[in-house]
């Protein structure tokens, strides 16, 4: 392969290391901050089956991404465990040379059933989203009456299957689940699982985001450390999204993802592939490059690499750093489409 395509840098000197692959835009939850029921209802046009990249296409494109420097792949969605046969995709991706970290983000609803098969297929670990432990709050957020206990059972099954270190993502929204921050920290202290408290972001357009709804990471840390003192620890690698902390008493680690109040665009090494094969270089992008067209043309792998590398080298996104009233009103794709 021509040397010019290898390890491309974008216009801000950021390399390409991580790839998030959305395998479906559908989800069985209707989290009010992500896929509100009023919009994602019976009339909503989800992607038709034939528009989705096949597992073969996803594997091919991942192999090409790995030649460009990607070492970490996250399968996401929508809810990735809703994609039929996703274990077969995991198994194919696990055998792509150069991918040394293969993980998946899920709402946990199908995890108790699928954890063992996913681990057997070669998945290394999982991140499970869970926004509260009490059913009143959790059901109000997922909006489909799903119980927290069933997600907790999924987390246990994943841990038993060896999908660790396991991360638990909690999006914190003021007036909705901020009261769950300390109980979540308390519940997972000492389990080896790492809770990451995420600032509610202005992704997409359907969630009616307002800055007033954001609980800043420093406020989240304040709530936790008032009960259980914490101290910062250094990031594992360039581009890590979470600021890491540990409990002073040795009960483990937690993280905060301050994408609104302390953006980390300068270190962002992530590309995103939508379920229909559009390549996005930012969660807040308005347009993606159509890789499905390239994949379904006679183009060679070298030509596919050239297309990807060209997009990456032209990349100048730093949305969260320049967030303002103007950028908030720009058209943006939904998180359920682009992949969280
Ligand atoms: N269905 C899977 C899940 O629930 O984890 C994967 C996709 S979901 C879009 C990925 C993550 O994005 C979840 O942890 C979700 O809570 C988070 N998320 C969605 N909308 C968000 C927002 N507006 N701000 C911050 N995080 C958000």
């Amino acid at each position: 392969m021509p040397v010019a395509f290898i390890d491309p840098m974008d216009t801000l000197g950021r390399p390409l290391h991580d790839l998030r692959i959305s395998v479906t835009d559908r989800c069985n939850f209707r989290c009010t901050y992500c896929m509100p029921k009023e919009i994602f209802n019976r009339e909503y046009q989800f992607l038709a089956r034939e528009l989705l990249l096949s597992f073969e296409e996803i594997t091919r494109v991942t192999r090409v991404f790995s030649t460009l420097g990607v070492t970490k792949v996250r399968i996401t969605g929508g809810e990735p465990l809703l994609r039929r046969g996703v274990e077969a995709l995991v198994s194919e991706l696990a055998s792509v040379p150069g991918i040394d970290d293969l993980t998946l983000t899920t709402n946990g609803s199908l995890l108790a059933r699928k954890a063992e098969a996913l681990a057997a297929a070669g998945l290394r670990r999982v991140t499970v989203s869970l926004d509260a432990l009490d059913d009143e709050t959790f059901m109000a957020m997922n909006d489909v009456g799903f119980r927290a206990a069933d997600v907790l059972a999924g987390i246990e099954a994943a841990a038993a299957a060896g999908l660790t270190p396991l991360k638990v993502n909690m999006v914190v929204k003021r007036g909705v689940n901020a009261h769950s921050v300390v109980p979540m920290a308390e519940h997972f202290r000492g389990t080896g699982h790492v809770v990451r408290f995420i600032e509610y972001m202005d992704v997409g357009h359907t969630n009616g985001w307002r800055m007033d709804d954001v609980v800043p990471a420093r406020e989240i840390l304040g709530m936790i450390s008032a009960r259980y003192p914490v101290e910062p620890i250094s990031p594992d690698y360039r581009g890590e999204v979470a600021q890491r902390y540990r409990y002073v008493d040795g009960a483990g680690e937690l993280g905060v993802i301050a994408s609104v109040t302390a953006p980390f665009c300068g270190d962002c090494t992530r590309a995103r592939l939508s379920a229909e094969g559009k390549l996005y270089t930012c969660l807040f992008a308005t347009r993606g490059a159509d890789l499905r067209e390239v994949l379904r043309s006679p183009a060679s792998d070298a030509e596919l690499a050239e297309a990807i590398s060209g997009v990456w080298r032209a990349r100048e996104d730093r949305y969260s750093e320049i967030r303002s009233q103007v950028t908030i009103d720009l058209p943006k794709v939904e998180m359920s489409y682009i992949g969280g």
Side-chain angles (χ1 to χ4, degrees):
M1 181 167 303
V3 175
F5 305 151
I6 295 174
D7 293 339
M9 292 280 178
D10 73 7
T11 62
L12 300 173
R14 297 168 296 189
L16 170 57
H17 285 165
D18 313 60
L19 177 63
R20 297 196 176 191
I21 303 171
S22 171
V23 292
T24 178
D25 58 340
R26 292 162 200 261
C27 189
N28 53 345
F29 283 13
R30 285 292 175 272
C31 298
T32 50
Y33 58 81
C34 187
M35 294 183 77
K37 257 183 182 162
E38 309 76 64
I39 312 273
F40 294 89
N41 54 23
R42 275 175 204 280
E43 276 79 58
Y44 189 82
Q45 294 275 314
F46 288 101
L47 293 171
R49 185 83 187 77
E50 64 277 11
L51 298 181
L52 302 182
L53 291 191
S54 68
F55 290 169
E56 290 71 25
E57 288 168 333
I58 294 174
T59 306
R60 178 178 170 211
V61 82
T62 303
R63 197 173 296 121
V64 169
F65 267 103
S66 85
T67 67
L68 298 173
V70 165
T71 56
K72 182 174 170 184
V73 168
R74 177 176 297 280
I75 301 170
T76 181
E79 173 47 44
L81 299 188
L82 288 182
R83 178 86 186 250
R84 191 166 305 146
V86 70
E87 302 84 350
L89 175 66
V90 167
S91 152
E92 287 179 38
L93 295 183
S95 66
V96 172
I99 302 302
D100 53 31
D101 191 7
L102 178 61
T103 181
L104 177 148
T105 302
T106 174
N107 62 24
S109 59
L110 300 170
L111 200 49
R113 245 181 284 164
K114 290 191 174 252
E116 247 178 61
L118 289 166
L123 191 69
R124 299 283 181 91
R125 53 196 183 86
V126 282
T127 297
V128 182
S129 305
L130 179 61
D131 294 331
L133 291 167
D134 71 282
D135 278 335
E136 194 185 336
T137 310
F138 186 53
M139 287 178 179
M141 289 185 89
N142 67 54
D143 216 10
V144 291
F146 204 85
R147 295 168 54 235
D150 293 331
V151 178
L152 293 173
I155 289 174
E156 269 180 37
L163 295 170
T164 55
L166 191 148
K167 289 175 185 157
V168 179
N169 275 356
M170 171 180 175
V171 175
V172 185
K173 197 170 169 193
R174 194 179 296 286
V176 178
N177 68 337
H179 61 279
S180 305
V181 165
V182 174
M184 282 283 282
E186 199 151 55
H187 182 87
F188 288 103
R189 268 167 50 84
T191 62
H193 309 328
V194 178
V195 184
R196 294 160 358 136
F197 299 90
I198 304 176
E199 287 180 352
Y200 170 49
M201 289 184 288
D202 51 328
V203 279
H205 271 288
T206 56
N207 63 13
W209 184 89
R210 297 177 317 139
M211 188 66 200
D212 288 353
D213 296 330
V214 178
V215 183
R218 65 172 183 287
E219 192 178 324
I220 295 172
L221 280 170
M223 291 187 243
I224 297 167
S225 58
R227 188 76 159 272
Y228 303 106
V230 298
E231 60 191 10
I233 44 181
S234 47
D236 258 349
Y237 54 90
R238 179 180 180 189
E240 187 165 52
V241 293
Q243 297 164 20
R244 300 170 65 206
Y245 289 81
R246 69 177 156 226
Y247 294 104
V248 172
D249 66 6
E253 190 183 322
L254 70 145
V256 288
I257 302 184
S259 20
V260 178
T261 62
F264 33 81
C265 306
D267 265 344
C268 180
T269 57
R270 267 176 304 286
R272 296 181 138 85
L273 188 63
S274 77
E276 58 172 343
K278 293 238 168 75
L279 172 62
Y280 290 87
T281 53
C282 178
L283 185 52
F284 298 95
T286 48
R287 252 196 310 270
D290 190 355
L291 294 189
R292 188 185 61 206
E293 200 182 4
V294 184
L295 280 162
R296 293 184 184 175
S297 77
S300 65
D301 282 358
E303 285 163 325
L304 181 57
E306 191 176 358
I308 297 169
S309 151
V311 170
W312 191 263
R313 279 189 274 106
R315 178 188 194 232
E316 48 186 21
D317 314 79
R318 49 189 203 93
Y319 174 90
S320 295
E321 287 179 353
I322 55 171
R323 177 183 278 114
S324 66
Q325 201 47 54
V326 178
T327 58
I328 284 166
D329 292 337
L330 289 174
K332 283 174 273 168
V333 291
E334 295 298 325
M335 185 105 152
S336 53
Y337 167 81
I338 197 174

